[in-house]
Each structure stands twice: as C-alpha cells, then as structure tokens.
C-alpha cells in the first residue's frame, strides 16, 4: 500500500475511517529503504497489519516500525529493524495528531 495514505493531508478521511473502523496492530514503514527493496519504485510503501474493531480500539497499541538504511541492507540486502526504530503508540494518538505518521518516519 502506498505510504501517502498515511501522510497526505488529502487522505484524512481514509485515515479517520481506518482508525475508527479497525484496530491497527502494526505498521512496517518501508519508505526510507524503498530504493534498496524495489529498484524501480516511484512510490513509498508500508505494510499494515489490522484486525476487526474492538470496543477499546482507541486504547489499542500500534507497533510502528520504520526501517532505516544501514550497512546490512546496503551490502547484504538484508532488512534489519533496529531497537530505536520500533515505537509503541496508542491508536487514539494517530486520530488526534495526523502528523504523527510523518514524525515517526524519522
């Protein structure tokens, strides 16, 4: 899925629908390493893991992983998720602050 659905201001309706309808379990952000994974990619990518809505959806914890370029991907073509690139955030914070997606990227 293109990562622009999380960052683009015009995609606010979709983000609101996603966060109010589903429990977002995990986000794997591939934008920083897209050139290493997809050699001819024109758009950035993400992988979303979601599940059905629950009553306490707003308190759901989203595990956000943003893979950064490092020596392993450059030399060995291996994706390594470093400890500092993993964040756990309540889902409600994404509804309250749509710019949080972009902030977590870096």
């Amino acid at each position: 899925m293109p990562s622009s659905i999380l960052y683009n201001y015009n995609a606010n309706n979709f983000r609101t629908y996603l966060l109010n309808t589903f429990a977002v379990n995990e986000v794997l952000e591939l934008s920083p390493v897209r050139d290493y994974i997809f050699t001819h990619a024109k758009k950035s990518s993400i992988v979303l893991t979601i599940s059905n809505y629950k009553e306490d959806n707003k308190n759901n914890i989203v595990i956000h992983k943003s893979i950064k370029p490092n020596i392993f991907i450059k030399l060995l073509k291996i994706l390594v998720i470093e400890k500092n690139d993993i964040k756990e955030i309540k889902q409600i914070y994404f509804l309250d602050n749509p710019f949080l997606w972009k902030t977590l990227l870096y």
Side-chain angles (χ1 to χ4, degrees):
M1 158 178 317
S3 62
S4 61
I5 64 159
L6 299 180
Y7 311 131
N8 191 330
Y9 181 75
N10 295 327
N12 192 45
N13 288 341
F14 175 77
R15 281 192 308 271
T16 302
Y17 169 78
L18 176 74
L19 294 167
N20 284 323
T21 308
F22 299 100
V24 178
N25 300 318
E26 190 171 330
V27 178
L28 180 61
E29 177 58 66
L30 300 172
S31 298
V33 293
R34 77 167 184 248
D35 294 333
Y36 297 101
I37 300 172
F38 311 109
T39 53
H40 300 293
K42 294 185 169 123
K43 299 281 184 180
S44 300
S45 299
I46 57 166
V47 177
L48 286 177
T49 306
I50 60 174
S51 56
N52 290 333
Y53 178 81
K54 297 182 173 109
E55 288 299 320
D56 62 346
N57 212 33
K58 305 270 193 270
N59 291 317
N60 179 53
I61 299 296
V62 178
I63 300 171
H64 188 281
K65 300 175 184 176
S66 181
I67 302 174
K68 309 287 189 307
N70 56 39
I71 192 89
F72 298 105
I73 196 164
K74 291 176 183 175
L75 296 178
L76 304 173
K77 307 293 185 209
I78 297 172
L79 292 177
V80 175
I81 303 171
E82 298 182 36
K83 182 180 176 182
N84 294 337
D85 296 334
I86 302 172
K87 309 286 189 271
E88 294 183 2
I89 298 126
K90 283 187 179 182
Q91 186 163 324
I92 186 116
Y93 295 160
F94 291 101
L95 275 169
D96 294 342
N97 184 2
F99 298 105
L100 184 57
W101 297 105
K102 190 71 166 180
T103 305
L104 289 172
L105 180 59
Y106 303 103

